PDB file of all heavy atoms in Angstrom:
ATOM      1  N   TYR A  13      81.329 118.015  74.913  1.00 99.00           N
ATOM      2  CA  TYR A  13      82.659 118.493  75.287  1.00 99.00           C
ATOM      3  C   TYR A  13      83.075 117.708  76.518  1.00 99.00           C
ATOM      4  O   TYR A  13      82.437 117.795  77.574  1.00 99.00           O
ATOM      5  CB  TYR A  13      82.614 119.990  75.572  1.00 99.00           C
ATOM      6  CG  TYR A  13      83.878 120.582  76.161  1.00 99.00           C
ATOM      7  CD1 TYR A  13      85.120 120.406  75.554  1.00 99.00           C
ATOM      8  CD2 TYR A  13      83.823 121.346  77.334  1.00 99.00           C
ATOM      9  CE1 TYR A  13      86.268 120.967  76.095  1.00 99.00           C
ATOM     10  CE2 TYR A  13      84.965 121.922  77.877  1.00 99.00           C
ATOM     11  CZ  TYR A  13      86.180 121.719  77.251  1.00 99.00           C
ATOM     12  OH  TYR A  13      87.330 122.271  77.802  1.00 99.00           O
ATOM     13  N   MET A  14      84.144 116.909  76.386  1.00 99.00           N
ATOM     14  CA  MET A  14      84.540 115.962  77.420  1.00 99.00           C
ATOM     15  C   MET A  14      85.991 116.200  77.846  1.00 99.00           C
ATOM     16  O   MET A  14      86.904 115.459  77.451  1.00 99.00           O
ATOM     17  CB  MET A  14      84.350 114.545  76.893  1.00 99.00           C
ATOM     18  CG  MET A  14      84.354 113.464  77.941  1.00 99.00           C
ATOM     19  SD  MET A  14      84.018 111.849  77.182  1.00 99.00           S
ATOM     20  CE  MET A  14      84.026 110.824  78.657  1.00 99.00           C
ATOM     21  N   PRO A  15      86.237 117.222  78.677  1.00 98.00           N
ATOM     22  CA  PRO A  15      87.596 117.486  79.164  1.00 98.00           C
ATOM     23  C   PRO A  15      87.902 116.638  80.404  1.00 98.00           C
ATOM     24  O   PRO A  15      87.389 116.898  81.487  1.00 98.00           O
ATOM     25  CB  PRO A  15      87.553 118.982  79.494  1.00 98.00           C
ATOM     26  CG  PRO A  15      86.123 119.233  79.852  1.00 98.00           C
ATOM     27  CD  PRO A  15      85.283 118.244  79.103  1.00 98.00           C
ATOM     28  N   HIS A  16      88.715 115.637  80.244  1.00 98.00           N
ATOM     29  CA  HIS A  16      89.003 114.705  81.342  1.00 98.00           C
ATOM     30  C   HIS A  16      89.829 115.356  82.443  1.00 98.00           C
ATOM     31  O   HIS A  16      90.549 116.325  82.216  1.00 98.00           O
ATOM     32  CB  HIS A  16      89.754 113.494  80.792  1.00 98.00           C
ATOM     33  CG  HIS A  16      88.850 112.459  80.213  1.00 98.00           C
ATOM     34  ND1 HIS A  16      88.265 111.464  80.959  1.00 98.00           N
ATOM     35  CD2 HIS A  16      88.415 112.260  78.941  1.00 98.00           C
ATOM     36  CE1 HIS A  16      87.529 110.696  80.192  1.00 98.00           C
ATOM     37  NE2 HIS A  16      87.591 111.157  78.958  1.00 98.00           N
ATOM     38  N   THR A  17      89.734 114.786  83.629  1.00 98.00           N
ATOM     39  CA  THR A  17      90.526 115.241  84.771  1.00 98.00           C
ATOM     40  C   THR A  17      91.983 114.787  84.658  1.00 98.00           C
ATOM     41  O   THR A  17      92.902 115.517  85.059  1.00 98.00           O
ATOM     42  CB  THR A  17      89.922 114.707  86.077  1.00 98.00           C
ATOM     43  OG1 THR A  17      88.677 115.369  86.311  1.00 98.00           O
ATOM     44  CG2 THR A  17      90.851 114.920  87.264  1.00 98.00           C
ATOM     45  N   PHE A  18      92.198 113.616  84.123  1.00 98.00           N
ATOM     46  CA  PHE A  18      93.545 113.027  84.075  1.00 98.00           C
ATOM     47  C   PHE A  18      94.135 113.076  82.671  1.00 98.00           C
ATOM     48  O   PHE A  18      93.407 113.283  81.704  1.00 98.00           O
ATOM     49  CB  PHE A  18      93.475 111.577  84.585  1.00 98.00           C
ATOM     50  CG  PHE A  18      92.971 111.476  85.981  1.00 98.00           C
ATOM     51  CD1 PHE A  18      91.744 110.875  86.251  1.00 98.00           C
ATOM     52  CD2 PHE A  18      93.683 111.999  87.046  1.00 98.00           C
ATOM     53  CE1 PHE A  18      91.252 110.796  87.541  1.00 98.00           C
ATOM     54  CE2 PHE A  18      93.205 111.927  88.344  1.00 98.00           C
ATOM     55  CZ  PHE A  18      91.981 111.321  88.592  1.00 98.00           C
ATOM     56  N   PRO A  19      95.500 112.962  82.589  1.00 98.00           N
ATOM     57  CA  PRO A  19      96.455 112.608  83.640  1.00 98.00           C
ATOM     58  C   PRO A  19      97.080 113.771  84.400  1.00 98.00           C
ATOM     59  O   PRO A  19      98.312 113.871  84.497  1.00 98.00           O
ATOM     60  CB  PRO A  19      97.508 111.824  82.870  1.00 98.00           C
ATOM     61  CG  PRO A  19      97.519 112.465  81.506  1.00 98.00           C
ATOM     62  CD  PRO A  19      96.100 112.853  81.240  1.00 98.00           C
ATOM     63  N   HIS A  20      96.272 114.660  84.935  1.00 98.00           N
ATOM     64  CA  HIS A  20      96.735 115.712  85.837  1.00 98.00           C
ATOM     65  C   HIS A  20      96.935 115.105  87.223  1.00 98.00           C
ATOM     66  O   HIS A  20      96.162 114.243  87.639  1.00 98.00           O
ATOM     67  CB  HIS A  20      95.673 116.824  85.886  1.00 98.00           C
ATOM     68  CG  HIS A  20      96.087 118.082  86.572  1.00 98.00           C
ATOM     69  ND1 HIS A  20      96.265 118.168  87.942  1.00 98.00           N
ATOM     70  CD2 HIS A  20      96.341 119.326  86.094  1.00 98.00           C
ATOM     71  CE1 HIS A  20      96.615 119.412  88.264  1.00 98.00           C
ATOM     72  NE2 HIS A  20      96.672 120.129  87.163  1.00 98.00           N
ATOM     73  N   VAL A  21      97.961 115.551  87.942  1.00 98.00           N
ATOM     74  CA  VAL A  21      98.176 115.063  89.310  1.00 98.00           C
ATOM     75  C   VAL A  21      97.200 115.737  90.264  1.00 98.00           C
ATOM     76  O   VAL A  21      96.773 116.872  90.004  1.00 98.00           O
ATOM     77  CB  VAL A  21      99.634 115.328  89.767  1.00 98.00           C
ATOM     78  CG1 VAL A  21     100.611 114.572  88.918  1.00 98.00           C
ATOM     79  CG2 VAL A  21      99.959 116.812  89.805  1.00 98.00           C
ATOM     80  N   PRO A  22      96.842 115.083  91.381  1.00 98.00           N
ATOM     81  CA  PRO A  22      97.239 113.751  91.820  1.00 98.00           C
ATOM     82  C   PRO A  22      96.635 112.676  90.912  1.00 98.00           C
ATOM     83  O   PRO A  22      95.529 112.828  90.407  1.00 98.00           O
ATOM     84  CB  PRO A  22      96.684 113.663  93.240  1.00 98.00           C
ATOM     85  CG  PRO A  22      95.494 114.580  93.220  1.00 98.00           C
ATOM     86  CD  PRO A  22      95.895 115.715  92.325  1.00 98.00           C
ATOM     87  N   MET A  23      97.381 111.602  90.710  1.00 98.00           N
ATOM     88  CA  MET A  23      97.004 110.588  89.745  1.00 98.00           C
ATOM     89  C   MET A  23      96.237 109.455  90.406  1.00 98.00           C
ATOM     90  O   MET A  23      96.698 108.859  91.383  1.00 98.00           O
ATOM     91  CB  MET A  23      98.261 110.035  89.069  1.00 98.00           C
ATOM     92  CG  MET A  23      98.065 109.636  87.637  1.00 98.00           C
ATOM     93  SD  MET A  23      97.810 111.045  86.541  1.00 98.00           S
ATOM     94  CE  MET A  23      99.380 111.879  86.686  1.00 98.00           C
ATOM     95  N   PHE A  24      95.042 109.182  89.846  1.00 98.00           N
ATOM     96  CA  PHE A  24      94.228 108.083  90.351  1.00 98.00           C
ATOM     97  C   PHE A  24      93.719 107.258  89.173  1.00 98.00           C
ATOM     98  O   PHE A  24      93.579 107.754  88.056  1.00 98.00           O
ATOM     99  CB  PHE A  24      93.030 108.611  91.148  1.00 98.00           C
ATOM    100  CG  PHE A  24      93.383 109.302  92.428  1.00 98.00           C
ATOM    101  CD1 PHE A  24      93.479 110.688  92.474  1.00 98.00           C
ATOM    102  CD2 PHE A  24      93.629 108.578  93.588  1.00 98.00           C
ATOM    103  CE1 PHE A  24      93.800 111.342  93.661  1.00 98.00           C
ATOM    104  CE2 PHE A  24      93.962 109.218  94.772  1.00 98.00           C
ATOM    105  CZ  PHE A  24      94.045 110.605  94.814  1.00 98.00           C
ATOM    106  N   ALA A  25      93.438 105.999  89.446  1.00 98.00           N
ATOM    107  CA  ALA A  25      92.826 105.116  88.452  1.00 98.00           C
ATOM    108  C   ALA A  25      91.888 104.172  89.190  1.00 98.00           C
ATOM    109  O   ALA A  25      92.060 103.920  90.393  1.00 98.00           O
ATOM    110  CB  ALA A  25      93.890 104.331  87.684  1.00 98.00           C
ATOM    111  N   SER A  26      90.915 103.658  88.491  1.00 98.00           N
ATOM    112  CA  SER A  26      89.975 102.727  89.103  1.00 98.00           C
ATOM    113  C   SER A  26      90.663 101.377  89.344  1.00 98.00           C
ATOM    114  O   SER A  26      91.717 101.096  88.763  1.00 98.00           O
ATOM    115  CB  SER A  26      88.767 102.546  88.198  1.00 98.00           C
ATOM    116  OG  SER A  26      89.127 101.802  87.044  1.00 98.00           O
ATOM    117  N   PRO A  27      90.071 100.519  90.186  1.00 97.00           N
ATOM    118  CA  PRO A  27      90.681  99.207  90.453  1.00 97.00           C
ATOM    119  C   PRO A  27      90.919  98.374  89.198  1.00 97.00           C
ATOM    120  O   PRO A  27      91.860  97.569  89.164  1.00 97.00           O
ATOM    121  CB  PRO A  27      89.658  98.535  91.370  1.00 97.00           C
ATOM    122  CG  PRO A  27      88.982  99.667  92.067  1.00 97.00           C
ATOM    123  CD  PRO A  27      88.897 100.765  91.041  1.00 97.00           C
ATOM    124  N   ASP A  28      90.104  98.560  88.161  1.00 98.00           N
ATOM    125  CA  ASP A  28      90.285  97.785  86.925  1.00 98.00           C
ATOM    126  C   ASP A  28      91.568  98.146  86.194  1.00 98.00           C
ATOM    127  O   ASP A  28      92.055  97.368  85.364  1.00 98.00           O
ATOM    128  CB  ASP A  28      89.099  98.016  85.987  1.00 98.00           C
ATOM    129  CG  ASP A  28      87.834  97.338  86.471  1.00 98.00           C
ATOM    130  OD1 ASP A  28      87.942  96.431  87.330  1.00 98.00           O
ATOM    131  OD2 ASP A  28      86.746  97.722  86.010  1.00 98.00           O
ATOM    132  N   PHE A  29      92.130  99.316  86.493  1.00 98.00           N
ATOM    133  CA  PHE A  29      93.313  99.782  85.762  1.00 98.00           C
ATOM    134  C   PHE A  29      94.534 100.015  86.645  1.00 98.00           C
ATOM    135  O   PHE A  29      95.660  99.993  86.149  1.00 98.00           O
ATOM    136  CB  PHE A  29      92.979 101.074  84.995  1.00 98.00           C
ATOM    137  CG  PHE A  29      92.051 100.839  83.845  1.00 98.00           C
ATOM    138  CD1 PHE A  29      90.680 100.899  84.025  1.00 98.00           C
ATOM    139  CD2 PHE A  29      92.548 100.524  82.590  1.00 98.00           C
ATOM    140  CE1 PHE A  29      89.805 100.655  82.966  1.00 98.00           C
ATOM    141  CE2 PHE A  29      91.694 100.278  81.524  1.00 98.00           C
ATOM    142  CZ  PHE A  29      90.315 100.337  81.711  1.00 98.00           C
ATOM    143  N   LYS A  30      94.328 100.224  87.930  1.00 98.00           N
ATOM    144  CA  LYS A  30      95.459 100.533  88.810  1.00 98.00           C
ATOM    145  C   LYS A  30      96.425  99.352  88.880  1.00 98.00           C
ATOM    146  O   LYS A  30      96.031  98.202  89.080  1.00 98.00           O
ATOM    147  CB  LYS A  30      94.976 100.889  90.207  1.00 98.00           C
ATOM    148  CG  LYS A  30      96.117 101.412  91.087  1.00 98.00           C
ATOM    149  CD  LYS A  30      95.614 101.960  92.402  1.00 98.00           C
ATOM    150  CE  LYS A  30      96.789 102.522  93.212  1.00 98.00           C
ATOM    151  NZ  LYS A  30      96.364 103.048  94.524  1.00 98.00           N
ATOM    152  N   GLY A  31      97.699  99.664  88.675  1.00 97.00           N
ATOM    153  CA  GLY A  31      98.736  98.649  88.765  1.00 97.00           C
ATOM    154  C   GLY A  31      98.899  97.802  87.519  1.00 97.00           C
ATOM    155  O   GLY A  31      99.643  96.820  87.525  1.00 97.00           O
ATOM    156  N   LYS A  32      98.246  98.187  86.429  1.00 97.00           N
ATOM    157  CA  LYS A  32      98.285  97.366  85.219  1.00 97.00           C
ATOM    158  C   LYS A  32      99.301  97.847  84.182  1.00 97.00           C
ATOM    159  O   LYS A  32      99.713  97.080  83.318  1.00 97.00           O
ATOM    160  CB  LYS A  32      96.885  97.341  84.581  1.00 97.00           C
ATOM    161  CG  LYS A  32      95.784  96.837  85.501  1.00 97.00           C
ATOM    162  CD  LYS A  32      95.969  95.392  85.882  1.00 97.00           C
ATOM    163  CE  LYS A  32      94.954  94.923  86.905  1.00 97.00           C
ATOM    164  NZ  LYS A  32      93.568  94.982  86.434  1.00 97.00           N
ATOM    165  N   SER A  33      99.713  99.109  84.242  1.00 98.00           N
ATOM    166  CA  SER A  33     100.574  99.662  83.206  1.00 98.00           C
ATOM    167  C   SER A  33     102.053  99.526  83.556  1.00 98.00           C
ATOM    168  O   SER A  33     102.435  99.583  84.725  1.00 98.00           O
ATOM    169  CB  SER A  33     100.242 101.145  82.984  1.00 98.00           C
ATOM    170  OG  SER A  33     101.219 101.780  82.182  1.00 98.00           O
ATOM    171  N   ARG A  34     102.891  99.391  82.540  1.00 97.00           N
ATOM    172  CA  ARG A  34     104.343  99.405  82.732  1.00 97.00           C
ATOM    173  C   ARG A  34     104.818 100.771  83.213  1.00 97.00           C
ATOM    174  O   ARG A  34     105.909 100.888  83.784  1.00 97.00           O
ATOM    175  CB  ARG A  34     105.058  99.072  81.420  1.00 97.00           C
ATOM    176  CG  ARG A  34     104.902  97.637  80.945  1.00 97.00           C
ATOM    177  CD  ARG A  34     105.562  97.464  79.586  1.00 97.00           C
ATOM    178  NE  ARG A  34     107.006  97.700  79.650  1.00 97.00           N
ATOM    179  CZ  ARG A  34     107.774  97.919  78.582  1.00 97.00           C
ATOM    180  NH1 ARG A  34     107.231  97.970  77.377  1.00 97.00           N
ATOM    181  NH2 ARG A  34     109.076  98.102  78.721  1.00 97.00           N
ATOM    182  N   ALA A  35     104.029 101.804  82.971  1.00 98.00           N
ATOM    183  CA  ALA A  35     104.433 103.174  83.285  1.00 98.00           C
ATOM    184  C   ALA A  35     103.889 103.657  84.625  1.00 98.00           C
ATOM    185  O   ALA A  35     103.774 104.859  84.852  1.00 98.00           O
ATOM    186  CB  ALA A  35     103.981 104.111  82.174  1.00 98.00           C
ATOM    187  N   GLY A  36     103.552 102.735  85.531  1.00 98.00           N
ATOM    188  CA  GLY A  36     103.100 103.135  86.850  1.00 98.00           C
ATOM    189  C   GLY A  36     101.716 103.746  86.837  1.00 98.00           C
ATOM    190  O   GLY A  36     100.928 103.543  85.917  1.00 98.00           O
ATOM    191  N   ILE A  37     101.417 104.527  87.882  1.00 98.00           N
ATOM    192  CA  ILE A  37     100.075 105.097  88.018  1.00 98.00           C
ATOM    193  C   ILE A  37      99.767 106.076  86.887  1.00 98.00           C
ATOM    194  O   ILE A  37      98.618 106.195  86.458  1.00 98.00           O
ATOM    195  CB  ILE A  37      99.896 105.789  89.401  1.00 98.00           C
ATOM    196  CG1 ILE A  37      98.460 106.279  89.599  1.00 98.00           C
ATOM    197  CG2 ILE A  37     100.904 106.905  89.590  1.00 98.00           C
ATOM    198  CD1 ILE A  37      97.415 105.195  89.583  1.00 98.00           C
TER     199      ILE A  37
END
């Protein structure tokens, strides 16, 4: 059972993904 933390705010992403999406954080 794998209930993820995101995309609940506050929104965080690792350096490999931060700033990569057209839709912001």
Side-chain angles (χ1 to χ4, degrees):
Y13 172 53
M14 196 177 182
H16 276 273
T17 290
F18 300 113
H20 190 289
V21 297
M23 213 70 64
F24 293 97
S26 71
D28 288 342
F29 290 89
K30 188 171 182 181
K32 303 295 174 62
S33 169
R34 291 176 63 196
I37 185 62

